[in-house]
């Protein structure tokens, strides 16, 4: 990539014959524009110089009153660009050997060129972060890094070893203050499958956290921003997680009084469907043999009853659909021996 | 859901412990780096993890530590010096980058003075600058308060004044406390004496004085005479970098404080001796040292360094000076004080002033002793040795070769006052020896690591690079010279007129006339275009030989510009302040020749009236060239005008010219008489008569 970049720069440079040299000697300077402008249409009043008061060129200026030729004209084609533009800086037309234009073209003209162009100063540039520069930075910063642990080669391994993810943000900006109010916010993420939870605890935890739990990814996210410092917020998230976990394992006495209407999902055990299927099976047996000697457990162990149970649970919990209804129909027919 | 399956039969309490251990795992890894501990922990808490991770034990590497600036320093190493830019202090803009040494000075001083002015206004109106935008707050940007928190005379008040470096107020308060019958603790007294000795009993200068213009005028009037004397160092004006160092005066605050002490400790004696030798009171320093010895107190290493430093001022003859220094060293050995780098550097510094014989003999012994003690010499050490071995009245020795072999490729930091002079002095020795190879090695050393910091301020830099460029011009081929020139000018060095004349000479030797437009552009930027000597040098350079037509064409813009510059200075309504250009015979002749060679006969003939106007004489070669060019162009009128000038100026071969013209133009009778008339008019010589004489 470095070579391509050099080529771009080289192409720019070769397009600039040292015309300024001949011009600069044969012309008298009335403004920096004559010395520095890359566009030969210097008398054109379009562009960033429109409306500027121009001093009349009466041919009698002191030769000493002459600005420097912009240094971009002196740059070699194979120069080391990261040295020219080492850090983030606002755009300087004299240091960038590119024929840039930006802004609104006036009077059906062309866009204003780079000299004295405020539009180019407003936008952030990344002239200090060219790929060769980034590559060099990486090479020197390597000494501050440690090797990545071999055991953590895959994402799955990372997740297994470090189930708790802590997200904080550091802000680096140029200004008198080092602080940023958003740097205090701490977010922790943990997969529920990584916690030791039984069915009851899991359901209770999900009830407790509400929309902080993402069913799709099985991730619990807790964010804290109420304290002024990051450390305090982090401690608070840890505290919340601990409390939630312990609370979900607790079974309060009133939890025994739960009714089917309170549940999030349909349970076959103890439901009206279970009673109905058992009584129906018993009634059939009585009608066939005159007496029913099978217990309720035996009835439920029956393969047809199991299928019926599956179909009912699926339909109740996942909603009605043609497949579910079809499955329900098949299981009922099989149960009643109609096919 | 393997977790829930496992956890179902376990009691809740166990689960809690496991949960905490899981959450704490990150920290526990960082703390206990024993692999076995981690493996055991893992198998206990997560027995159902994948096989792969169990095979490779998880080893978290220890966190690396580095100092605050390490990352920035590492990033800085990726950047080299940019030959097209100037110092980072200046704004990168064609209008605001300095073009000459003078502008460099003005612009840097202007920046500094702006900062001073801002500081002044902040201190003057502190009520408007109470808002703190910075976090953490920057002490230096806040207005300096003129009032103290503690007004009454007590030790806390004294401490406060000392921490603000208000030495006068602190001394006053100290004596107020003592006179009032109070006591000041030993530590505070020692610290105060240290401060007074270090600053020479005066408030440090960086304290901005808040004076109204009238007060300022008063101070100026009183101190005008003094400051005039102070601003000159050895008959010349003080440079910006130099500080005027005041002298120790008897009865100063430090003296008074020391004398008021009932039982001065070794520390008090040491700081007094250091202050005395710093402020050029060598005699008194040695007297104090003797007192100290008599009381049986022992001095420390830096006190001995200060004594060695000032030993030159108390003895006159070379042998006595050297004997005194040795005596001090012996005393150090007796007291079992380990000498440091400064000891040896002050030793060598004294040897510089001990004459050549003693100096050369003993300096190497000193160096040997340094190596023996395992003290790494600094650049200042080498600078002293160079100075001892290369006195200005003797041919230079080979010492620099040996030194370079020793220090090549090493990185140095500023450790001693003399460190900053090494590069400049070594480069001037290279120039004296005309040793380009050595100069390149020296420059390489300067570019190694952060050694460029030791070259010094802009003044020393200009000397260093000036000598380097001078040497290159003398010894190096044109192409290589031009490469160095482009690299150094104007990024780090602004060459003066003599240096550019050297460059011209080097270009001429290697026949690189095509570089002149570029060089002239630089000359214009350096504001040397109006230096008579240089302009004539450039014209001479271009006109000395006839070049190919392309190169002659290349000269034209330069020639045109030079002519315009001359005309500007003649036509300017008010004479400009400094250097001006005025026509000379050679510059006019050279311009004439250059126009002719570029085929610009019209412009050349326009030059002719200037000879008459400024009463200058064209050279014979120029006139011959002009006339032959007229013949070639078959332009009789211009030829006649030329002849007219030649006759007017009284050139020796005019008759010959006239005959040549007549024959080559095949002139008619009338025109021939016209030419004769020109000759006759001016010289009263009959062309016919002359011919007869011949």
């Amino acid at each position: 990539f470095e070579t391509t970049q050099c080529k771009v720069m080289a192409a720019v440079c070769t397009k600039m014959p040292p015309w300024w040299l001949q011009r600069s000697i044969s012309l008298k300077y009335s403004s920096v524009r004559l010395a520095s402008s890359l566009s030969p249409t210097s008398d054109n009043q379009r562009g960033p110089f429109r409306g500027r008061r121009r001093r009349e060129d009466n041919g009698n200026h002191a030769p000493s009153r002459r600005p420097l030729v912009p240094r971009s004209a002196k740059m070699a084609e194979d120069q080391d660009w990261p040295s020219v533009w080492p850090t983030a800086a606002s755009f300087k037309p004299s240091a960038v050997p590119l024929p840039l234009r930006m802004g609104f073209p006036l009077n059906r003209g062309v866009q204003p060129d780079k000299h004295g162009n405020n539009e180019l100063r407003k936008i952030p540039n990344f002239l200090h972060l060219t790929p060769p520069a980034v590559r060099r930075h990486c090479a020197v910063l390597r000494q501050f890094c440690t090797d990545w642990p071999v055991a953590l080669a895959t994402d799955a391994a990372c997740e297994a070893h470090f189930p708790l993810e802590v997200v904080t943000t550091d802000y680096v900006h140029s200004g008198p203050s080092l602080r940023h109010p958003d740097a205090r916010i701490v977010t922790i993420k943990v997969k529920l499958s990584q916690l030791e939870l039984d069915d009851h605890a899991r359901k209770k935890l999900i009830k407790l956290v509400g929309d902080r739990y993402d069913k799709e990814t099985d991730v619990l996210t807790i964010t804290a921003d109420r304290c002024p410092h990051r450390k305090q917020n982090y401690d608070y998230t840890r505290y919340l997680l601990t409390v939630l976990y312990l609370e979900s394992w607790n079974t309060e006495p009133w939890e025994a009084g739960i009714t089917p209407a309170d549940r999030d999902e349909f349970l076959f055990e103890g439901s009206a469907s279970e009673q109905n299927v058992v009584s129906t099976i018993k009634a059939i047996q009585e009608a066939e043999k005159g007496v029913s000697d099978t217990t309720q457990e035996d009835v439920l162990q029956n393969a047809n009853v199991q299928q019926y149970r599956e179909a009912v649970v699926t339909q109740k919990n996942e909603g009605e659909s043609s497949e579910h209804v079809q499955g329900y129909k098949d299981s009922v027919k099989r149960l009643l021996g109609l096919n | 859901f393997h977790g829930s399956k496992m956890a179902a039969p376990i009691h809740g309490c166990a689960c809690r412990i496991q949960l905490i251990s899981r959450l704490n795992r990150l920290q526990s890894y960082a703390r206990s780096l024993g692999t076995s501990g981690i493996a055991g922990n893992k198998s206990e808490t997560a027995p159902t993890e994948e096989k792969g991770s169990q095979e490779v034990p998880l080893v978290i590497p220890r966190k690396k530590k580095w100092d605050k600036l390490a990352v920035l320093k590492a990033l800085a190493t990726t950047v080299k010096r940019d030959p097209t830019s100037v110092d980072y202090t200046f704004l990168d803009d064609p209008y605001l980058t300095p073009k000459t040494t003078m502008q460099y000075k003005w612009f840097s001083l202007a920046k500094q003075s702006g900062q001073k002015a801002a500081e002044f206004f902040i201190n003057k109106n502190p009520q408007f600058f109470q808002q703190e935008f910075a976090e953490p707050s920057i002490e230096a940007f806040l207005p300096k308060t003129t009032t103290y928190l503690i007004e009454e005379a007590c030790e806390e008040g004294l401490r406060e004044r000392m921490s603000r470096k208000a030495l006068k107020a602190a001394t006053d308060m100290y004596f107020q406390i003592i006179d009032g019958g109070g006591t000041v603790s030993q530590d505070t007294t020692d610290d105060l004496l240290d401060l007074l000795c270090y600053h020479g009993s005066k408030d440090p200068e960086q304290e901005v004085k808040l004076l109204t213009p009238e007060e300022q005028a008063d101070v100026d009037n009183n101190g005008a005479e003094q400051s005039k004397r102070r601003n000159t160092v050895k008959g010349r004006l003080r440079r910006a970098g130099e500080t005027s160092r005041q002298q120790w005066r008897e009865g100063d605050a430090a003296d008074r404080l020391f004398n008021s002490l009932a039982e001065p400790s070794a520390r008090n004696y040491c700081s007094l001796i250091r202050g005395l030798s710093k402020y050029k009171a060598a005699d008194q320093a040695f007297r104090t040292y003797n007192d100290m010895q008599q009381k049986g107190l022992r001095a420390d290493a830096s006190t001995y360094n200060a004594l060695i430093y000032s030993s030159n001022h108390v003895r006159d003859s070379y042998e006595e000076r050297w004997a005194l220094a040795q005596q001090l060293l012996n005393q150090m050995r007796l007291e079992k004080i380990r000498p440091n780098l400064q000891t040896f550097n002050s030793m060598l510094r004294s040897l510089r002033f001990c004459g050549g014989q003693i100096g050369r003999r003993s300096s190497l012994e000193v160096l040997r002793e340094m190596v023996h003690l395992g003290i790494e010499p600094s650049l200042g050490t080498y600078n002293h040795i160079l100075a001892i071995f290369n006195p200005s009245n003797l041919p230079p020795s080979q010492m620099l070769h040996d030194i370079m072999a020793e220090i090549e490729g090493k990185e140095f930091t500023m450790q001693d006052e003399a460190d900053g002079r090494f590069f400049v002095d070594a480069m001037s020795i290279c120039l004296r020896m005309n040793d380009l190879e050595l100069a390149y090695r020296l420059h390489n050393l300067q570019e190694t690591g952060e050694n460029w910091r030791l070259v010094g301020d802009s003044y020393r830099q200009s000397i260093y690079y000036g000598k380097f460029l001078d040497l290159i011009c003398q010894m190096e081929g044109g192409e290589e010279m031009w490469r160095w020139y482009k690299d150094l000018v104007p990024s780090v060095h602004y060459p003066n007129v003599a240096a550019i004349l050297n460059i011209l000479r080097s270009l001429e030797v290697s026949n690189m006339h095509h570089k002149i437009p570029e060089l002239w552009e630089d000359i214009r930027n350096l504001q040397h275009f109006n230096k008579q000597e240089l302009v004539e040098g450039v014209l001479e350079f271009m006109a000395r030989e006839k070049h190919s037509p392309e190169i002659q064409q290349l000269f034209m813009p330069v020639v045109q510009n030079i002519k315009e510059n001359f005309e500007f200075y003649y036509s300017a309504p008010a004479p400009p302040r400094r250097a001006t250009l005025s026509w000379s015979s050679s510059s006019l002749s050279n311009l004439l020749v250059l126009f002719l060679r570029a085929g610009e006969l019209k412009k050349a003939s326009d030059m002719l009236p200037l000879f008459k106007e400024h009463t200058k004489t064209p050279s014979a070669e120029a006139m011959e060239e002009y006339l032959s060019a007229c013949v070639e162009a078959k332009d009789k009128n211009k030829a006649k005008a030329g002849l007219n000038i030649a006759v007017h100026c009284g050139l020796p071969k005019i008759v010959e010219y006239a005959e040549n013209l007549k024959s080559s133009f095949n002139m008619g009778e009338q025109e021939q008489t016209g030419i004769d008339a020109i000759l006759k008019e001016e010289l009263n010589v009959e062309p016919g008569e002359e011919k007869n004489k011949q």
Side-chain angles (χ1 to χ4, degrees), chain B residues 371-383:
Chain B
V371 174
H372 178 69
L373 286 173
I375 295 170
E376 189 71 26
S378 74
L379 281 182
T381 319
Y382 294 118
N383 184 42

Side-chain angles (χ1 to χ4, degrees), chain A residues 20-22 24-33 36 59-71 74-76 79-80 82-86 92 94-95 121 133 136-137 140-152 154 156-157 160-164 176-179 190 192-199 202 218 234 238 241-242 245-246 249-250, chain B residues 1-8 10 12 15-16 18-20 22-27 29 42 45 49-50 53 56-64 66 70-71 74-75 77-82 84-86 92-95 97-99 133-136 138 486 490 517-518 520-522 524-525 527 529 554 556-561 564-565 568-569 571-573 577:
Chain A
W20 51 265
L21 218 138
Q22 288 119 37
S24 67
I25 290 168
S26 57
L27 285 176
K28 288 195 184 66
Y29 284 87
S30 59
S31 70
V32 68
R33 185 162 55 101
S36 60
N60 206 13
H61 298 310
S64 53
R65 294 294 181 90
R66 202 181 65 111
L68 276 177
V69 169
R71 67 195 186 101
K74 289 185 190 169
M75 290 175 177
Q79 70 170 345
D80 182 42
S83 301
V84 180
W85 203 283
K92 288 174 284 189
S94 65
R121 286 175 162 272
R136 276 191 221 169
H137 293 173
V140 295
L141 291 180
R142 186 154 294 175
Q143 56 179 307
F144 301 109
C145 305
T146 52
D147 288 335
W148 188 255
V150 189
L152 299 178
T154 59
H161 283 289
F162 298 105
L164 187 69
S177 174
L178 286 180
R179 320 277 178 231
V190 64
L192 281 200
S193 59
Q194 297 279 358
L195 297 177
E196 311 270 354
L197 297 168
D198 68 356
D199 195 41
R202 184 182 152 78
D218 189 36
Y234 174 70
R238 291 279 305 274
L241 186 61
T242 314
Y245 181 81
L246 298 178
W249 272 100
N250 276 348
Chain B
F1 286 137
H2 60 265
S4 62
K5 276 179 203 163
M6 284 298 301
I10 305 173
C15 293
R16 283 169 210 176
Q18 280 173 0
L19 170 83
I20 290 165
R22 260 164 181 272
L23 292 178
N24 275 340
R25 200 181 295 161
L26 190 90
Q27 284 96 331
Y29 276 141
K42 190 179 7 175
T45 54
E49 276 169 9
E50 310 105 294
S53 63
V56 187
L58 175 60
V59 182
I60 303 293
R62 188 175 283 275
K63 188 180 173 186
K64 286 188 183 175
W66 54 83
V71 171
L75 287 177
T77 57
T78 65
V79 177
K80 294 190 282 281
R81 189 178 65 81
D82 172 21
T84 59
S85 70
V86 289
D92 193 356
D93 183 284
Y95 272 111
T97 43
K99 291 183 277 189
F133 295 100
E135 195 174 339
I138 303 167
K486 282 270 129 197
E518 250 175 284
W520 180 250
E521 185 62 32
D522 283 349
R524 293 180 74 190
N525 286 336
Q527 308 282 310
F529 60 89
L554 211 58
M556 275 326 282
V558 181
V559 172
Q560 194 65 39
N561 184 245
E564 277 165 14
N565 288 342
F568 171 80
Y569 280 108
S571 66
R577 288 151 300 174

Side-chain angles (χ1 to χ4, degrees), chain B residues 302-578:
Chain B
S302 51
T303 308
Y304 275 108
N305 295 349
L307 286 171
I308 294 173
Y309 183 88
S310 53
S311 62
N312 281 342
H313 303 290
V314 291
R315 293 286 185 276
D316 288 332
S317 81
Y318 294 158
E319 282 80 14
E320 280 177 8
R321 284 178 182 181
W322 178 230
L324 177 61
Q326 274 179 321
Q327 198 185 331
L328 286 167
L329 278 186
N330 277 330
Q331 188 62 34
M332 281 176 87
R333 199 188 56 197
L334 284 178
E335 294 183 10
K336 293 201 173 58
I337 296 167
R338 194 182 152 76
N340 52 25
L341 178 71
Q342 265 67 34
T343 316
F344 288 106
N345 278 357
S346 13
M347 210 53 202
L348 286 168
R349 187 182 166 279
S350 328
L351 277 175
R352 279 174 79 160
F353 307 104
C354 280
Q357 233 176 353
I358 296 177
R360 256 165 281 167
R361 197 182 58 231
S362 314
S363 62
L364 292 183
E365 280 174 21
V366 172
L367 199 62
R368 212 170 293 134
E369 185 65 21
M370 269 180 102
V371 174
H372 178 69
L373 286 173
I375 295 170
E376 189 71 26
S378 74
L379 281 182
T381 319
Y382 294 118
N383 184 42
H384 290 314
I385 290 176
L386 267 187
I388 291 167
F389 277 85
N390 293 292
S392 51
N393 53 355
L394 288 177
S397 72
Q398 294 296 308
M399 187 46 86
L400 186 55
H401 280 280
D402 301 341
I403 290 177
M404 281 310 295
E406 178 68 29
I407 61 176
E408 208 152 35
K410 284 190 190 170
E411 286 186 36
F412 290 92
T413 49
M414 195 76 172
Q415 285 173 295
D416 193 86
E417 218 181 344
D419 283 6
R421 296 205 197 96
F422 174 77
F423 282 110
V424 178
D425 290 357
M427 190 51 91
S428 51
I429 288 169
C430 287
L431 184 62
R432 272 170 68 192
M433 296 202 289
N434 274 343
D435 193 337
L436 187 65
E437 199 54 41
L438 197 58
Y440 281 151
R441 281 166 69 188
L442 186 68
H443 191 67
N444 261 339
L445 177 70
Q446 191 254 100
E447 285 181 337
T448 310
E450 302 237 310
N451 286 351
W452 55 268
R453 288 182 190 280
L454 297 172
V455 178
D457 57 6
S458 65
Y459 177 74
R460 277 191 197 146
Q461 251 183 42
S462 70
I463 296 177
Y464 173 83
Y465 285 113
K467 296 205 161 157
F468 187 39
L469 205 57
D470 197 6
L471 191 56
I472 289 173
C473 286
Q474 285 176 27
M475 309 291 291
E476 190 60 272
E479 288 290 342
E480 191 67 8
M481 186 280 296
W482 191 251
R483 203 179 62 72
W484 277 108
Y485 170 79
K486 282 270 129 197
D487 191 45
L488 299 179
V489 177
S491 153
V492 286
H493 180 55
Y494 301 106
N496 53 13
V497 172
I500 292 181
L501 285 174
N502 276 339
I503 289 163
L504 274 178
R505 226 163 282 143
S506 168
L507 285 178
E508 186 154 25
V509 167
S510 42
N511 215 2
M512 288 173 57
H513 290 80
H514 57 281
K515 295 289 184 199
I516 194 72
E518 250 175 284
L519 185 64
W520 180 250
E521 185 62 32
D522 283 349
I523 291 173
R524 293 180 74 190
N525 286 336
L526 291 165
Q527 308 282 310
H528 287 329
F529 60 89
N530 55 5
K531 307 283 159 62
Q532 185 84 21
E533 190 191 358
L534 182 60
V535 171
E536 288 190 7
V538 171
L539 284 174
E540 189 65 36
F541 170 77
M542 290 191 288
R544 196 167 289 143
E545 281 170 44
K546 196 172 163 91
H547 301 282
S548 64
E550 295 84 48
I551 290 191
Q552 292 292 350
Q553 279 303 325
L554 211 58
F555 289 163
M556 275 326 282
V558 181
V559 172
Q560 194 65 39
N561 184 245
I562 291 178
K563 185 163 175 266
E564 277 165 14
N565 288 342
F566 271 107
E567 280 163 3
F568 171 80
Y569 280 108
Y570 275 102
S571 66
R577 288 151 300 174
R578 275 170 293 126

Side-chain angles (χ1 to χ4, degrees), chain A residues 7-245:
Chain A
K7 270 179 198 161
V8 173
M9 293 280 177
V12 171
C13 293
T14 46
K15 272 186 188 170
M16 265 193 316
W19 62 268
W20 51 265
L21 218 138
Q22 288 119 37
R23 281 174 65 90
S24 67
I25 290 168
S26 57
L27 285 176
K28 288 195 184 66
Y29 284 87
S30 59
S31 70
V32 68
R33 185 162 55 101
L34 286 176
S36 60
S37 170
L38 287 178
S39 63
T41 58
S42 53
D43 292 331
N44 192 349
Q45 266 290 303
R46 290 167 191 155
F49 294 95
R50 61 177 183 270
R52 275 233 196 125
R53 199 157 52 84
R54 296 169 68 199
R55 198 188 295 163
E56 283 305 306
D57 190 352
N58 57 9
N60 206 13
H61 298 310
S64 53
R65 294 294 181 90
R66 202 181 65 111
L68 276 177
V69 169
R71 67 195 186 101
S72 60
K74 289 185 190 169
M75 290 175 177
E77 291 170 19
D78 57 347
Q79 70 170 345
D80 182 42
W81 177 251
S83 301
V84 180
W85 203 283
T87 52
S90 59
F91 186 81
K92 288 174 284 189
S94 65
V96 183
L98 301 171
L100 297 174
R101 290 182 170 276
M102 192 170 171
F104 187 73
L106 217 71
N107 300 338
R108 289 192 287 164
V110 290
Q111 284 187 304
D113 73 352
K114 60 179 181 172
H115 294 285
N117 192 334
N118 261 339
E119 298 301 320
L120 277 168
R121 286 175 162 272
K122 285 180 202 167
I123 54 163
N125 65 59
F126 285 86
L127 291 168
H128 61 297
L129 288 180
T130 52
V134 172
R135 211 173 303 123
R136 276 191 221 169
H137 293 173
C138 292
V140 295
L141 291 180
R142 186 154 294 175
Q143 56 179 307
F144 301 109
C145 305
T146 52
D147 288 335
W148 188 255
V150 189
L152 299 178
T154 59
D155 284 351
C158 293
E159 210 169 274
H161 283 289
F162 298 105
L164 187 69
E165 188 184 344
V166 182
V167 183
T168 56
T169 316
D170 292 316
Y171 293 84
V172 181
H173 50 105
S174 68
S177 174
L178 286 180
R179 320 277 178 231
H180 193 282
D182 288 356
R184 74 184 195 285
I185 299 172
V186 176
T187 303
I188 62 169
K189 290 179 179 175
V190 64
K191 276 200 172 183
L192 281 200
S193 59
Q194 297 279 358
L195 297 177
E196 311 270 354
L197 297 168
D198 68 356
D199 195 41
H200 161 261
R202 184 182 152 78
K203 282 176 181 154
K204 190 170 175 188
L205 184 63
I206 292 171
K207 275 258 183 201
L208 286 172
V209 297
D211 61 358
R212 292 175 190 83
Y213 173 68
D214 184 0
K215 206 188 272 182
E216 301 287 314
T217 54
D218 189 36
V219 172
L220 168 64
T221 308
I222 300 175
T223 303
D225 59 357
R226 57 175 56 188
C227 306
H229 288 285
R230 174 183 291 174
K231 175 74 168 56
Q232 296 168 333
N233 281 320
Y234 174 70
D235 289 345
Y236 184 58
T237 54
R238 291 279 305 274
Y239 162 76
L240 282 181
L241 186 61
T242 314
V243 166
L244 280 171
Y245 181 81

